[in-house]
Amino acid sequence: MFRKAVIVIVVLWLAHNFSVFGQQQDTAYQIPDNLMKQVKVEKTEAEWLEELGSEKYNILRQCSTEPPFTGKYYKHNAKGTYVCAGCGAELFGSDTKYESGSGWPSFFAAIGKDKIKEVLDTSYGMVRTEIKCANCDGHLGHVFTDGPPPTGLRYCVNSASIDFVPDAKD
Ligand SMILES: [Zn+2]
């Protein structure tokens, strides 16, 4: 009687580990294609620091701000696309860039609302809306409501948070 029970238990244990549940586990870890596209860029802080260098790291990952009138894209009027310096996601088109007088690159719209994540920022005794890259969570700057038509928005962005990709010449 005891031996029979042991055999049954062993058989059940083998079935559990090597057939039914084993197969289910394999398929459970396959992420569907439509979810793969939403997976964000995730790296450790050490990996970001090594990849970005200290200046970009301090702004993109530590939410610092570059001094106004100093960034490389403050006075930059070429036609093209501004992409995230952290992950390369397309964020702003040059056709929405304008001179705001703030000293930072300014845009009245993002390429897509889903490209930018907005976060309430109450640091330094101010209530502001921080903008982050939706793909890698990199800090870009802030968005204000004193922008020009047609949106009335001013996306105020650190030059160090973006890279520029010029339009292909015909
Ligand atoms: Zn990014």
Side-chain angles (χ1 to χ4, degrees):
M1 191 63 196
F2 177 74
R3 244 183 98 159
K4 244 184 186 172
V6 169
I7 289 166
V8 169
I9 287 166
V10 168
V11 167
L12 283 173
W13 183 84
L14 287 170
H16 176 97
N17 282 283
F18 296 111
S19 63
V20 183
F21 286 87
Q23 281 169 12
Q24 280 184 351
Q25 271 185 355
D26 284 347
T27 50
Y29 284 98
Q30 284 173 7
I31 301 168
D33 282 349
N34 60 335
L35 281 179
M36 284 293 282
K37 286 172 189 148
Q38 292 169 19
V39 170
K40 293 184 176 187
V41 176
E42 285 190 44
K43 293 177 185 169
T44 65
E45 291 307 307
E47 285 169 337
W48 277 121
L49 179 57
E50 191 183 336
E51 187 181 309
L52 296 170
S54 59
E55 190 211 349
K56 286 187 172 185
Y57 174 82
N58 285 338
I59 291 172
L60 276 165
R61 308 310 305 182
Q62 300 293 312
C63 304
S64 297
T65 300
E66 69 197 11
F69 307 102
T70 61
K72 62 179 170 177
Y73 297 128
Y74 160 53
K75 287 196 170 181
H76 185 262
N77 297 311
K79 283 191 162 62
T81 304
Y82 294 87
V83 302
C84 174
C87 73
E90 295 187 344
L91 301 175
F92 301 100
S94 60
D95 53 342
T96 62
K97 192 172 188 291
Y98 74 102
E99 175 51 69
S100 68
S102 68
W104 291 281
S106 300
F107 305 85
F108 60 76
I111 279 180
K113 267 276 176 191
D114 59 334
K115 304 280 186 182
I116 306 282
K117 189 164 121 187
E118 297 187 359
V119 182
L120 183 67
D121 175 9
T122 56
S123 64
Y124 302 106
M126 294 180 273
V127 178
R128 296 178 294 171
T129 304
E130 180 192 0
I131 49 174
K132 290 175 158 235
C133 169
N135 194 45
C136 75
D137 234 22
H139 172 78
L140 304 172
H142 292 84
V143 61
F144 302 92
T145 53
D146 57 6
T151 62
L153 296 174
R154 171 168 61 97
Y155 289 87
C156 185
V157 181
N158 289 287
S159 291
S161 299
I162 48 179
D163 284 323
F164 180 71
V165 180
D167 282 347
K169 291 203 172 85
D170 295 332

